[in-house]
Amino acid sequence: MRFLTVLIVLVLALMAYIRLAPTNAEKWHALPDVNEPGDTREEGGFLAVRRIAAPADEVLTAVEQRALATPRTRLLRGNVAEGMITFQTRSLIWGFPDHTTVAVQGDLLVIYGRLRFGRSDLGVNKARIEGWLETLGPLTAPL
């Protein structure tokens, strides 16, 4: 019985840490250098790059609206005028935070999602980013 009590307390402490740990917005508000359209899957993240077919501010506004309509997603840093926006999306039960940064670099829309804790995101960043891209329709060129 004592073991079970200790286990429950540890699980609750871990859940509290995951949900309440402070986030260094500056660390997550960054993008890798990109040169061409394409998708890159990495351990714990996903990078999607598309050519834009509309003005940059129009594309970023559309992405921002779609991102903020995603459940459990909030603006972490940036805005359309700055040209780069970072969002935080939390998983439903545990509240694991994923960070997604969006920017237009030249004629390229860059969307970079990655997890904060662990090594595998089980494909959730890729699925979320592909969902966002799907709603952009004619604002981006297909691969």
Side-chain angles (χ1 to χ4, degrees), residues 90-132:
R90 290 191 176 268
S91 64
L92 179 61
I93 296 173
W94 278 85
F96 283 108
D98 289 334
H99 298 94
T100 307
T101 301
V102 180
V104 172
Q105 298 176 348
D107 67 340
L108 298 175
L109 171 65
V110 182
I111 306 178
Y112 184 41
R114 59 263 189 228
L115 56 74
R116 176 170 178 191
F117 297 109
R119 292 194 306 201
S120 175
D121 66 354
L122 303 174
V124 297
N125 281 299
K126 180 181 182 201
R128 182 176 51 257
I129 290 170
E130 287 177 341
W132 291 3

Side-chain angles (χ1 to χ4, degrees), residues 22-62:
T23 299
N24 179 352
E26 187 66 33
K27 174 183 176 182
W28 298 102
H29 193 61
L31 287 170
D33 292 326
V34 297
N35 297 317
E36 59 189 50
D39 293 339
T40 306
R41 188 159 190 178
E42 58 184 46
E43 185 176 61
F46 184 72
L47 174 68
V49 181
R50 302 289 186 276
R51 289 212 188 281
I52 60 173
D57 60 337
E58 186 178 330
V59 174
L60 284 176
T61 298

